[in-house]
Amino acid sequence: MKLVLLGAPGAGKGTQADFIKAALKVPVISTGNLLREAIARETELGQKAKQYMDGGNLVPDELIIGLVKEKLQSPDCASGAIFDGFPRTVAQAEALDAFAAPELALSIEVPDEAIVHRMAGRRTCPRCGSTYHVVGNPPRVEGICDKCGETLGIRKDDAPAVVLQRLEVYHAQTEPVKEHYARQNKLREVSGIGSVEEIRERIFQAMEEGL
Ligand code: AP5
């Protein structure tokens, strides 16, 4: 099973990917998390990606496509994967179709105003990539990751000015990806407004209908 999760920055893709992973028993490939790991390890990819990410812009297609292709080679992806944050351009979607066409694309729809509020309260685990929200989805112990015990931090690209740039990039470059999957009759749109659990239910229903 290969499933694409689409949605604006902060729409809740990472939060919901965890539930889908547990249900489908396939790994999540989050290009954002892979890039942040590469930056932390100071790899060549990380050094190239950092300037784009800090400014709220997309990392060039060729770097991302190579990264995802390589990740898909790992044995744990033998039964499929959930793609979180990929594809983000029509060129990436076309590339994915050529090497691992997804069965379904789920788009989590959240208006820009709600995104700005969510990003302001997001806390992220620098070790395992888990995300929380100080009000909407707090960790059990304030400031500490439930999953690995690391101290939570704030992503550099969650600064308000960078969030606005990321939203602009999303509308210009990533929204057309929805049309790409709609033409293939693989797109399902789900409202991302409501509690985390409500959205999880909507997603599971859309998956049942769409698969
Ligand atoms: P990436 O890490 O993929 O960021 P993103 O798509 O902008 O998405 P986010 O991780 O910010 O948000 P999310 O939708 O996962 O939301 P979350 O669940 O955390 O990419 C970062 C950068 O890397 C890009 O800008 C780009 O430079 C580069 N990049 C990555 N992939 C690329 C690609 N394919 N091509 C080119 N460049 C690429 O939720 C957000 C917050 O809301 C959290 O605090 C959460 O707790 C909270 N929340 C979730 N659900 C709810 C709810 N229902 N109610 C209230 N709060 C909620």
Side-chain angles (χ1 to χ4, degrees), residues 2 8 24 41 47 56 60 62 69-70 74 83 109-110 123 138-139 145 166 170 175 177 192-193 203 206:
K2 292 177 289 303
L24 295 182
R41 285 190 281 114
Q47 281 163 11
E62 60 274 18
K69 250 185 179 169
E70 190 190 314
S74 69
F83 299 99
E109 302 290 321
V110 178
R123 299 293 179 267
C145 180
R166 288 163 67 196
Y170 169 75
E175 272 200 316
V177 175
I193 293 294
I203 285 182

Side-chain angles (χ1 to χ4, degrees), residues 168-188:
E168 209 172 303
V169 167
Y170 169 75
H171 292 303
Q173 298 187 56
T174 307
E175 272 200 316
V177 175
K178 290 199 317 191
E179 185 52 35
H180 173 90
Y181 290 118
R183 276 197 300 272
Q184 300 180 1
N185 197 25
K186 291 178 177 174
L187 180 73
R188 300 289 177 274

Side-chain angles (χ1 to χ4, degrees), residues 7-16 30-33 35-36 49 52-54 56-61 64 68 84-89 92 117-119 121-124 131-134 136-137 155 157-158 166 192-197 199:
K13 302 181 294 295
T15 303
Q16 297 296 333
S30 159
T31 42
N33 283 350
L35 291 168
R36 280 184 287 278
Y52 297 101
M53 293 176 73
D54 285 352
N57 296 307
L58 295 183
V59 174
D61 287 339
I64 295 290
V68 172
D84 165 8
F86 177 89
R88 253 183 162 92
T89 63
Q92 291 179 17
H117 167 75
R118 282 191 191 181
M119 300 305 231
R122 175 158 65 177
R123 299 293 179 267
T124 305
T131 53
Y132 303 87
H133 190 277
V134 288
N137 185 23
R155 268 169 51 177
D157 62 349
D158 280 350
R166 288 163 67 196
I193 293 294
S195 70
V196 168
E197 291 71 26
I199 294 153

Side-chain angles (χ1 to χ4, degrees), residues 7 20 39-40 45 74 103 138 145 167 171 185 189 197:
I20 304 173
I39 291 173
L45 169 68
S74 69
E103 284 85 3
C145 180
L167 280 169
H171 292 303
N185 197 25
E189 291 178 298
E197 291 71 26

Side-chain angles (χ1 to χ4, degrees), residues 75-98:
D76 64 332
C77 293
S79 314
I82 299 152
F83 299 99
D84 165 8
F86 177 89
R88 253 183 162 92
T89 63
V90 172
Q92 291 179 17
E94 286 169 349
L96 184 64
D97 280 350

